[in-house]
Amino acid sequence: MSELQEITDLLYGEGVPMPGSKVTEEEALRIVRERFRYPDYCIVRDWIWIDLDVSADQLDALRKTRRQPVIVYAHTVIYDSNRRWDVGDFVRTSPLHAFHDGFMFQTLHTIYILLGDGVRKRAAIETVGRIF
């Protein structure tokens, strides 16, 4: 399969449905501010949970840094507390550190609030690396 086709399938192809939060944007803000005092946060929609295919060495390196071989790609940024992304931008996270309450995806530096339903897919780490 071509590199372009792999990226297209990852971003727009079928996936396994995965529930996100049903709360409003305002409720999501309240929840993240109450639960996490200082981290940056980003509210997103139209998201893809991506399980990464990694080698044993890559998995070991992730575990040593308290991360897991999972990232989220979101087609739509709703709000970013640190203004790194504008409303409507896409975002690709760094690897998962912790997952809270079925809709808060935490990396080492940011909490991503997954609004609405998303999909779950599997991809090679090289394919994900080609998404800017």
Side-chain angles (χ1 to χ4, degrees):
M1 185 181 300
S2 75
E3 291 176 6
L4 181 57
Q5 187 62 51
E6 289 172 354
I7 294 168
T8 302
D9 288 347
L10 178 60
L11 296 180
Y12 304 106
E14 296 287 321
V16 176
M18 189 173 175
S21 174
K22 303 297 184 218
V23 302
T24 65
E25 293 169 22
E26 293 78 20
E27 289 173 304
L29 281 172
R30 181 186 55 75
I31 291 167
V32 76
R33 287 175 178 161
E34 285 175 0
R35 296 251 339 251
F36 305 96
R37 292 277 184 215
Y38 302 108
D40 293 332
Y41 57 90
C42 185
I43 300 173
V44 300
R45 284 195 181 279
D46 308 316
W47 50 273
I48 305 166
W49 175 287
I50 305 171
D51 295 302
L52 300 172
D53 289 329
V54 295
S55 69
D57 288 341
Q58 291 168 322
L59 182 59
D60 188 49
L62 284 168
R63 287 183 176 155
K64 285 180 182 175
T65 58
R66 303 180 344 257
R67 299 179 297 163
Q68 300 172 46
V70 177
I71 66 158
V72 163
Y73 175 91
H75 290 283
T76 309
V77 170
I78 302 298
Y79 179 78
D80 179 54
S81 67
N82 211 17
R83 305 267 187 215
R84 295 163 292 188
W85 301 283
D86 289 329
V87 172
D89 283 352
F90 72 87
V91 63
R92 182 190 73 189
T93 72
S94 56
L96 175 66
H97 172 65
F99 191 56
H100 309 279
D101 300 337
F103 68 96
M104 290 185 275
F105 185 99
Q106 183 177 4
T107 66
L108 292 178
H109 302 288
T110 304
I111 306 247
Y112 294 87
I113 306 300
L114 309 178
L115 292 184
D117 295 337
V119 294
R120 188 172 192 165
K121 299 182 182 186
R122 177 165 290 284
I125 197 167
E126 296 81 11
T127 301
V128 172
R130 293 181 184 108
I131 302 171
F132 289 61

